[in-house]
Amino acid sequence: MNIQTIGVIGAGQMGNGIAHVMSLAGYDVVMSDISQDALNKAMDTIRKNMSRQVSRGKLPEEEMNGALSRIRTTLEMADIGASDLVIEAATERETVKQAIFEDLQPHLKPDTILTSNTSSISITRLASRTDRPEKFMGFHFMNPVPVMKLVELIRGIATDEPTYKACLEVVERIGKTASSAEDFPAFIVNRVLVPMINEAVYVLYEGVGNVRSIDEAMKLGANHPMGPLELADFIGLDTCLAIMNVLHDGLADTKYRPCPLLTKYVEAGWLGRKTKRGFYDYRGEEPVPTR
């Protein structure tokens, strides 16, 4: 299948990053959200990030202008339906994703491929709620999308080979590397990464170390570019908790039990960088540990 038009549902951090890289690769992009303010903010972010690439000599200005001209925004789900490939990048809640695909279904072309940027939810289960489970798969980008080189491609039990190959061609065209994963909770990256973050929260919860000592230990002792608690704040503590719950529910193993302290932070609304407080307080000039 020749893919040229890509619909992106959700204009948040992941959605605008996906629109950014797709437009630079020459695809026509239609990005939707439920809020015009969110769409305006997304376009501002894309312009700022592309301008930074231009200033660093990584992107010619005329390519930036061409890419921006290929992005269209909409509040109407019907405008997404005409796309060759749809990438859903909404909130990491299964009920939200299911509702999106149900609303989208009447507007789809017969051969449109549906994908989800979910970081943990069952692709097979999401696909089963659509009219085309064979043309449905996981298309999981890493954050921040313009920088990170990996995309996880996750096949549901019904995903056919032409769908996988079409998505693989898209990954290659945008200059990223695909990692193929089977449809089990949290796939590859988050199956390994988020339990490590959860364990770091347990180390904090049990008083083995404080926020700064845990992060410094992993940066200097394991050569990680970011400490696990700093990384949790970057990802979003609500997202980390959601992934741990998917792992715990889906694999029924107590080693995936979310740390009570992680739950407490989420209940407090301290979700990390996006709310200015998490394991660090970001309201001042420098991040300050909250424990």
Side-chain angles (χ1 to χ4, degrees):
M1 179 181 176
N2 181 36
I3 292 174
Q4 183 52 41
T5 305
I6 294 180
V8 179
I9 300 175
Q13 192 172 31
M14 297 303 292
N16 73 58
I18 294 167
H20 176 139
V21 299
M22 292 296 177
S23 64
L24 279 179
Y27 292 107
D28 297 317
V29 178
V30 184
M31 180 170 57
S32 74
D33 204 283
I34 58 173
S35 159
Q36 187 61 50
D37 286 345
L39 291 170
N40 294 342
K41 184 178 176 182
M43 289 306 302
D44 288 344
T45 299
I46 293 169
R47 287 189 194 94
K48 182 179 72 176
N49 290 340
M50 286 188 183
S51 295
R52 187 181 299 120
Q53 290 177 293
V54 171
S55 67
R56 292 175 178 174
K58 295 182 177 180
L59 178 67
E61 189 168 359
E62 59 270 21
E63 285 191 26
M64 177 187 78
N65 294 333
L68 290 171
S69 72
R70 286 190 287 271
I71 303 174
R72 183 163 60 94
T73 62
T74 183
L75 296 171
E76 301 298 326
M77 195 66 80
D79 295 335
I80 296 288
S83 306
D84 301 319
L85 168 68
V86 174
I87 303 173
E88 171 273 315
T91 304
E92 189 68 358
R93 297 213 323 260
E94 187 166 349
T95 53
V96 172
K97 295 179 185 297
Q98 286 176 346
I100 285 170
F101 287 119
E102 286 171 7
D103 289 346
L104 181 63
Q105 193 161 293
H107 308 293
L108 293 172
K109 299 190 301 183
D111 56 352
T112 296
I113 293 174
L114 296 179
T115 68
S116 175
N117 183 57
T118 179
S119 53
S120 62
I121 296 168
S122 168
I123 297 302
T124 297
R125 198 161 58 238
L126 288 174
S128 72
R129 301 290 292 270
T130 74
D131 65 346
R132 60 196 69 203
E134 72 287 348
K135 290 187 175 296
F136 193 111
M137 68 182 303
F139 210 122
H140 180 217
F141 288 84
M142 305 297 120
N143 186 30
V145 177
V147 175
M148 301 297 279
K149 296 297 185 184
L150 184 74
V151 177
E152 283 183 311
L153 291 180
I154 306 104
R155 302 189 215 210
I157 196 169
T159 306
D160 63 23
E161 190 65 16
T163 297
Y164 171 77
K165 286 184 175 177
C167 290
L168 181 60
E169 286 177 9
V170 173
V171 174
E172 291 171 346
R173 180 166 159 181
I174 63 177
K176 298 192 184 294
T177 299
S179 175
S180 297
E182 293 300 316
D183 185 24
F184 289 96
F187 321 129
I188 295 173
V189 173
N190 285 324
R191 174 78 177 265
V192 177
L193 176 64
V194 180
M196 182 200 76
I197 289 172
N198 192 57
E199 192 64 26
V201 183
Y202 266 113
V203 170
L204 179 65
Y205 176 61
E206 294 167 4
V208 179
N210 59 31
V211 169
R212 198 175 297 282
S213 66
I214 292 166
D215 278 350
E216 286 299 311
M218 293 307 293
K219 284 193 285 187
L220 301 179
N223 204 28
H224 290 189
M226 297 173 72
L229 301 176
E230 182 186 5
L231 180 57
D233 278 355
F234 181 75
I235 294 169
L237 304 193
D238 53 338
T239 300
C240 292
L241 179 60
I243 293 169
M244 287 308 302
N245 282 326
V246 166
L247 283 165
H248 192 232
D249 295 344
L251 298 172
D253 192 323
T254 56
K255 73 180 180 180
Y256 298 116
R257 183 171 68 97
C259 180
L261 184 60
L262 178 60
T263 302
K264 188 181 292 292
Y265 269 71
V266 173
E267 288 174 344
W270 292 19
L271 308 181
R273 286 182 176 271
K274 61 188 173 185
T275 59
K276 304 296 184 184
R277 279 195 290 188
F279 292 113
Y280 292 85
D281 189 325
Y282 300 92
R283 292 175 297 174
E285 289 186 13
E286 294 289 330
V288 177
T290 54
R291 291 177 85 86

